[in-house]
Amino acid sequence: MSGAATFVPTPLLLSDSAKARLQALIEEEGNPDLKLRVYVTGGGCSGFQYGFDFAETVAEDDTLVEFGEVALVVDPLSYQYLVGSTVDFEEGLAGARFLIQNPNATTTCGCGASFMV
């Protein structure tokens, strides 16, 4: 008899607006292999800051999170800080940008680009 299945929480969520924007960017580039790479680096006014980039390739130790026709890629170091977060996209007076809603952050800066755990 095999053991009970283990529930693994979704590492990252993608809002509808982020999904739509990512799909639009993929179509604009004409490259269905494009994925949104989400990462965390040291720095920023609160200790860590979020970064976004586009990736065509996925490294062996990356985590790939697929949402239908779009996908997120996270490196192993950033993964631990992003589990349970939602990647969102907003358009406002400050311009259009991807951002992270991170339940693990104890402090965030006013612009939402950096955080502390």
Side-chain angles (χ1 to χ4, degrees):
M1 184 172 171
S2 63
T6 304
F7 174 74
V8 178
T10 302
L12 281 170
L13 301 173
L14 191 63
S15 73
D16 289 341
S17 60
K19 202 177 297 182
R21 181 61 182 151
L22 188 51
Q23 185 66 46
L25 290 168
I26 289 168
E27 288 170 9
E28 284 174 26
E29 292 294 317
N31 185 351
D33 293 331
L34 276 185
K35 297 160 188 56
L36 182 64
R37 180 172 291 282
V38 183
Y39 59 91
V40 173
T41 59
C45 38
S46 293
F48 294 101
Q49 61 187 24
Y50 302 113
F52 300 95
D53 199 0
F54 288 100
E56 288 185 75
T57 58
V58 179
E60 195 174 297
D61 58 352
D62 282 340
T63 297
L64 177 66
V65 187
E66 295 180 306
F67 299 91
E69 297 185 18
V70 298
L72 300 176
V73 180
V74 184
D75 66 85
L77 184 63
S78 299
Y79 181 90
Q80 62 189 324
Y81 297 110
L82 295 169
V83 170
S85 296
T86 300
V87 177
D88 198 3
F89 180 79
E90 71 174 15
E91 292 183 80
L93 296 175
R97 65 184 180 144
F98 285 102
L99 58 108
I100 301 280
Q101 296 168 359
N102 189 340
N104 305 309
T106 57
T107 306
T108 58
C109 67
C111 65
S114 70
F115 69 102
M116 185 183 304
V117 289

